[in-house]
């Protein structure tokens, strides 16, 4: 998964995005609150149900106005609780259960 908008990540990884989400921009968050014709598309509902093994998260503030922490805070929360940034400072997050366990 690549959020909010990095379609080249899928091409470089030879992968397809999760159903309905090749990008997630502020207007998608607004649509989620007001869906048309029964077509639900809410990343805050769908992501917790099927968390991908890796997420490419670009914390780009869109047009210098739309901060992902505000329009998709649910994703930011999931990244902090269920994923680890690899390597620190990069845009790649790996789901914690996919990481090797350190010996106790």
């Amino acid at each position: 998964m690549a959020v909010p908008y990095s379609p080249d990540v899928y091409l470089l990884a030879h992968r397809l995005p999760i159903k309905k989400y090749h990008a997630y921009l502020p207007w998608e968050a607004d649509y989620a609150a007001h869906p048309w014709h029964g077509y639900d598309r809410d990343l805050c509902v769908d992501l917790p149900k099927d968390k991908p093994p890796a997420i490419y998260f670009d914390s780009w503030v869109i047009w210098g106005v739309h901060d992902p922490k505000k329009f998709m805070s649910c994703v930011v929360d999931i990244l902090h609780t269920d994923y680890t940034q690899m390597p620190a400072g990069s845009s790649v997050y790996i789901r914690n259960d996919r990481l090797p366990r350190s010996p106790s």
Side-chain angles (χ1 to χ4, degrees):
M1 177 176 188
V3 288
Y5 184 71
S6 298
D8 57 321
V9 170
Y10 300 116
L11 298 172
L12 293 170
H14 303 287
R15 298 281 189 256
L16 294 173
I18 62 174
K19 186 179 178 185
K20 298 189 277 185
Y21 303 104
H22 68 280
Y24 199 73
L25 297 165
W27 36 96
E28 269 100 20
D30 187 52
Y31 177 87
H34 309 93
W36 292 5
H37 309 294
Y39 182 71
D40 293 328
R41 187 173 187 270
D42 189 341
L43 188 58
C44 293
V45 171
D46 293 338
L47 182 59
K49 292 178 187 174
D50 189 17
K51 296 176 190 162
I55 294 177
Y56 180 92
F57 178 72
D58 182 355
S59 59
W60 169 46
V61 177
I62 299 159
W63 300 328
V65 176
H66 304 285
D67 187 336
K69 293 176 190 87
K70 292 183 181 173
F71 74 88
M72 60 176 174
S73 61
C74 62
V75 173
V76 175
D77 292 344
I78 287 171
L79 288 175
H80 288 303
T81 59
D82 298 337
Y83 289 80
T84 298
Q85 195 174 19
M86 302 295 287
S90 78
S91 298
V92 177
Y93 291 77
I94 304 296
R95 201 172 65 212
N96 292 333
D97 66 341
R98 293 293 184 108
L99 297 171
R101 294 181 183 229
S102 56
S104 302

